[in-house]
């Protein structure tokens, strides 16, 4: 929609798009001045963007700081309370109109109705707020539940450790060791649940501690041994001689990865053998 005024502020052009936007015909606006062209937008006479293009930069900055000046062009948004029976958000650009000699003979303004875009932006903002609130609620729930589960789980692990310090038959010791290993693995899973919320918040951190790689692999294999035996599968692990026993990294997460892989391998293998092979890939990489 385009509006043009002359040097005296009289309307000299009011195109078809302006007629559709305002509901006012060009014949009713041509020759009008003294801000009468503001009536279709605001219902009252008042300066609009086209009236401000000739103001000095100082006045724009002090009186109309919400407007943007880009070179000789002035840009701005305005909320119109009632435009053709509904509220609307308009985006306008206005600039001076010059003749062939460069003298200012008027001003021109182009207007776009951006109500739908602003509505979509607001809906997106509200959806973002709702999603953030849901994420915070989920994180709080996970933290609370993880704490509630960890307390009895630590007791199970602690009591199992005490049990292993007492005289036991080989079979009882094997059972108690499996209970403790399973408890450690479950505790790692609980910690992983908390990690998911940390990942969403961008706060995940990997451990960087020395651990026994052989023991890590063997414990993961031991935890799925029962699953493999139930299906009649052979389960084994093999570490190449070049693989060091002591490495540095995040033991709990590595064990969880191995446990997930082994569990899936046993689940989808109908017969034969499942083997974990650990090899050194390079001088520093494992």
């Amino acid at each position: 929609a385009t509006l043009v005024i002359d040097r005296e502020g009289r309307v000299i052009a009011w195109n078809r798009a302006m007629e559709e936007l305002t509901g006012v015909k060009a014949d009713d606006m041509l020759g009008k001045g003294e801000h009468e062209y503001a009536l279709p937008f605001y219902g009252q006479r008042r300066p609009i963007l086209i009236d401000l293009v000739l103001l000095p930069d100082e006045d724009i900055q002090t009186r109309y700081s919400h407007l943007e000046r880009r070179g000789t062009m002035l840009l701005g948004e305005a909320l119109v309370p009632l435009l053709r029976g509904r509220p609307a958000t308009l985006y306008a650009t206005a600039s001076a109109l010059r003749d062939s000699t460069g003298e200012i003979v008027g001003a021109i303004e182009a207007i776009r109705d951006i109500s739908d875009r602003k509505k979509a932006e607001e809906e997106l903002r509200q959806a973002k707020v709702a999603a953030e609130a849901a994420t915070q609620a989920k994180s709080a729930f996970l933290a609370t539940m993880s704490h509630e589960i960890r307390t009895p789980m630590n007791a199970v692990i602690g009591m199992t450790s005490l049990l292993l310090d007492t005289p036991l038959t080989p079979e009882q010791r094997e059972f108690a060791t499996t209970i403790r290993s399973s408890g450690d693995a479950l505790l790692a899973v609980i910690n992983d649940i908390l990690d998911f919320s940390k990942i969403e918040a961008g706060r995940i951190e990997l451990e960087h501690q020395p651990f026994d790689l052989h023991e890590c692999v063997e414990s993961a294999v031991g935890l799925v041994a029962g699953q493999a035996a139930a299906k009649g599968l052979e389960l084994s692990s093999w570490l190449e001689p070049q693989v060091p026993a002591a490495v540095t990294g995040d033991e709990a997460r590595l064990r969880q990865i191995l446990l997930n892989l082994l569990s899936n391998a046993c689940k989808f293998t109908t017969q034969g053998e499942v083997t974990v092979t650990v090899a050194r890939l390079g001088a520093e990489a494992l």
Side-chain angles (χ1 to χ4, degrees):
T2 304
L3 161 68
V4 183
I5 60 174
D6 61 18
R7 195 69 177 84
E8 284 69 41
R10 294 186 296 261
V11 176
I12 58 175
W14 184 276
N15 71 353
R16 177 67 61 84
M18 281 293 285
E19 292 181 337
E20 294 175 354
L21 179 66
T22 63
V24 178
K25 296 296 183 181
D27 291 342
D28 297 327
M29 292 305 302
L30 294 177
K32 297 290 180 67
E34 296 182 357
H35 316 310
E36 287 180 279
Y37 36 80
L39 290 175
F41 299 104
Y42 296 107
Q44 59 181 325
R45 296 186 181 189
R46 51 169 288 186
I48 61 175
L49 194 63
I50 198 170
D51 300 302
L52 309 178
V53 293
L54 303 181
L55 290 179
D57 286 344
E58 295 77 12
D59 288 353
I60 295 293
Q61 293 174 359
T62 56
R63 297 170 57 191
Y64 303 99
S65 58
H66 62 287
L67 300 178
E68 176 187 357
R69 182 181 287 281
R70 191 178 302 166
T72 60
M73 186 179 296
L74 201 60
L75 305 91
E77 286 184 13
L79 177 62
V80 179
L82 206 60
L83 183 65
R84 301 202 70 173
R86 65 178 181 86
T89 303
L90 304 180
Y91 179 78
T93 60
S95 59
L97 192 63
R98 301 175 184 271
D99 62 14
S100 57
T101 65
E103 184 178 352
I104 295 176
V105 294
I108 181 170
E109 180 173 348
I111 302 172
R112 286 189 295 122
D113 187 346
I114 60 170
S115 302
D116 290 342
R117 191 191 80 187
K118 299 297 285 188
K119 180 181 178 182
E121 289 176 351
E122 176 60 21
E123 290 175 349
L124 185 62
R125 187 193 67 80
Q126 292 181 359
K128 182 174 181 291
V129 170
E132 289 174 347
T135 298
Q136 291 176 356
K138 180 178 67 176
S139 297
F141 172 77
L142 290 175
T144 301
M145 290 305 298
S146 297
H147 174 74
E148 294 298 325
I149 296 172
R150 268 199 303 246
T151 300
M153 184 51 59
N154 283 325
V156 170
I157 294 172
M159 294 304 293
T160 307
S161 297
L162 292 175
L163 180 62
L164 286 169
D165 291 335
T166 63
L168 299 171
T169 66
E171 186 179 34
Q172 288 172 332
R173 185 166 298 278
E174 181 183 354
F175 291 164
T177 301
T178 301
I179 293 172
R180 186 173 66 177
S181 297
S182 298
D184 289 337
L186 181 56
L187 197 59
V189 171
I190 295 168
N191 289 330
D192 286 342
I193 293 173
L194 281 179
D195 286 344
F196 292 143
S197 61
K198 290 180 181 178
I199 289 171
E200 289 180 337
R203 295 186 288 108
I204 188 67
E205 293 182 4
L206 294 176
E207 294 290 335
H208 197 71
Q209 301 292 335
F211 66 93
D212 189 323
L213 180 61
H214 293 236
E215 184 179 306
C216 177
V217 173
E218 289 173 3
S219 66
V221 171
L223 289 172
V224 294
Q227 181 182 352
K231 296 186 67 175
L233 301 174
E234 294 289 336
L235 183 62
S236 62
S237 62
W238 182 73
L239 287 80
E240 289 187 349
Q242 298 86 352
V243 175
V247 296
T248 301
D250 196 319
E251 181 181 8
R253 289 188 175 89
L254 177 58
R255 183 188 293 108
Q256 187 60 40
I257 291 169
L258 289 172
L259 188 58
N260 290 341
L261 292 173
L262 283 167
S263 180
N264 284 334
C266 291
K267 178 180 179 181
F268 296 106
T269 301
T270 57
Q271 61 182 356
E273 183 180 9
V274 173
T275 303
V276 179
T277 301
V278 183
R280 191 182 183 97
L281 299 180
E284 295 180 0
L286 195 64

